Amino acid sequence: MPKERKFKQLFWGWVTLLSLPFPDHSLAQQPDQINQWLQYTGSYWFNARWAATANVQYRTYRPIKDPRTTFLGAELQYNFKDAPVAVSGGYAHLFNRNYLPAEETEYTHENRLYQTLTLRGNLWKTGITHRYQLEERWLPQEYHTRFRYLLALKLPFGGTGQEPGPWYGILRNEVRVIVRNQPFDSNRVFGGAGYTFNKHLTVEGMWMSQLVGNGNHQHFTMFVLRHDFGKME
């Protein structure tokens, strides 16, 4: 089957999944709400060490409708030559919308700087990533600093010999804490699968459950498109 046809089938399959009926407008306001998360990450590699990345996210309370967050970010990354370590720094602007009755809906903005240290390794065929991130966040009512730690596993499916197959499983857990009297912000657990078309293009579909500091749970269906181009080697 041609790669273009495979990509179209996967893309429209995820669009169909995200378009399935979900709880109506009133139910979506409950703490156990199901949200949607669409993301594009594009990285331009100047060479094997340096890359610039753009990140666009669109999160909604219902499929396509009812915007929750629009995330626009960019970062510069450096990959060390003799170690599986990368450092990066970037900026993001977020447009947030609280889910309230139309006459009370609130729109807010957030400006964010962040610095990241990423360590990568392998345990047999499983890829392991540790990501440590420091964020400086300017919110409408306050400024605060947040720390994030992500542990990610990439589990290849199939393949022959040393060549992994195009499919892989995804398991991730991320903890976020804030510098304040009650530091716990949230914990995110991810599970899903990805498909690698080639070294330039990958798609991922995931389910993410988030426990926030007030004890509420939120759930997301996620579709992520990753695009790498430029001088990657």
Side-chain angles (χ1 to χ4, degrees), residues 41-54 75-81 85-88 118 120 199-201 226-233:
T41 298
S43 297
Y44 179 78
W45 292 80
F46 301 100
N47 52 51
R49 307 273 77 83
W50 290 95
T53 297
E75 68 178 53
L76 186 65
Q77 180 183 105
Y78 177 76
N79 295 270
F80 287 84
K81 182 177 181 180
V85 178
V87 293
S88 61
T118 304
R120 296 185 176 89
K199 66 179 182 179
H200 299 288
L201 190 64
R226 302 187 186 278
H227 181 205
D228 292 273
F229 53 102
K231 300 176 182 178
M232 299 174 60
E233 297 178 355

Side-chain angles (χ1 to χ4, degrees), residues 106-122:
E106 296 180 351
Y107 296 88
T108 61
H109 296 262
E110 176 188 339
N111 290 290
R112 181 186 302 177
L113 294 175
Y114 59 93
Q115 303 80 41
T116 306
L117 171 67
T118 304
L119 309 176
R120 296 185 176 89
N122 292 282

Side-chain angles (χ1 to χ4, degrees), residues 26-45:
S26 61
L27 293 178
Q29 301 180 54
Q30 302 301 319
D32 281 332
Q33 55 191 307
I34 298 177
N35 301 257
Q36 284 68 53
W37 182 322
L38 302 176
Q39 177 176 327
Y40 168 79
T41 298
S43 297
Y44 179 78
W45 292 80

Side-chain angles (χ1 to χ4, degrees), residues 168-205:
Y168 59 90
I170 300 167
L171 291 175
R172 298 174 185 164
N173 189 81
E174 182 179 42
V175 179
R176 306 190 297 180
V177 297
I178 299 175
V179 180
R180 60 184 179 186
N181 292 334
Q182 296 179 338
F184 178 71
D185 179 68
S186 60
N187 186 78
R188 291 173 165 177
V189 179
F190 305 76
Y195 185 88
T196 302
F197 291 91
N198 50 53
K199 66 179 182 179
H200 299 288
L201 190 64
T202 301
V203 294
E204 296 178 343

Side-chain angles (χ1 to χ4, degrees), residues 10-212:
L10 285 168
F11 175 79
W12 288 112
W14 280 109
V15 169
T16 301
L17 175 63
L18 294 172
S19 301
L20 292 175
F22 283 92
D24 64 21
H25 199 274
S26 61
L27 293 178
Q29 301 180 54
Q30 302 301 319
D32 281 332
Q33 55 191 307
I34 298 177
N35 301 257
Q36 284 68 53
W37 182 322
L38 302 176
Q39 177 176 327
Y40 168 79
T41 298
S43 297
Y44 179 78
W45 292 80
F46 301 100
N47 52 51
R49 307 273 77 83
W50 290 95
T53 297
N55 189 348
V56 179
Q57 301 174 15
Y58 178 61
R59 309 174 199 171
T60 62
Y61 291 98
R62 292 191 295 171
I64 306 303
K65 305 177 182 179
D66 298 325
R68 171 177 175 148
T69 299
T70 301
F71 178 109
L72 303 173
E75 68 178 53
L76 186 65
Q77 180 183 105
Y78 177 76
N79 295 270
F80 287 84
K81 182 177 181 180
D82 299 319
V85 178
V87 293
S88 61
Y91 165 79
H93 186 84
L94 288 77
F95 302 88
N96 297 305
R97 170 177 173 260
N98 292 331
Y99 201 106
L100 298 167
E103 63 275 10
E104 299 179 17
T105 296
E106 296 180 351
Y107 296 88
T108 61
H109 296 262
E110 176 188 339
N111 290 290
R112 181 186 302 177
L113 294 175
Y114 59 93
Q115 303 80 41
T116 306
L117 171 67
T118 304
L119 309 176
R120 296 185 176 89
N122 292 282
L123 181 62
W124 290 287
K125 293 185 178 181
T126 299
I128 303 174
T129 299
H130 300 272
R131 189 187 71 187
Y132 305 87
Q133 188 170 89
L134 172 65
E135 297 176 333
E136 299 81 33
R137 306 176 68 202
W138 286 267
L139 302 165
Q141 304 299 328
E142 62 179 345
Y143 163 85
H144 67 237
T145 301
R146 182 166 68 180
F147 297 94
R148 305 169 64 153
Y149 168 68
L150 172 73
L151 172 63
L153 303 180
K154 181 178 180 181
L155 304 97
F157 297 150
T160 57
Q162 298 299 318
E163 292 295 326
W167 289 98
Y168 59 90
I170 300 167
L171 291 175
R172 298 174 185 164
N173 189 81
E174 182 179 42
V175 179
R176 306 190 297 180
V177 297
I178 299 175
V179 180
R180 60 184 179 186
N181 292 334
Q182 296 179 338
F184 178 71
D185 179 68
S186 60
N187 186 78
R188 291 173 165 177
V189 179
F190 305 76
Y195 185 88
T196 302
F197 291 91
N198 50 53
K199 66 179 182 179
H200 299 288
L201 190 64
T202 301
V203 294
E204 296 178 343
M206 288 175 281
W207 175 271
M208 186 264 280
S209 291
Q210 175 175 265
L211 172 65
V212 295

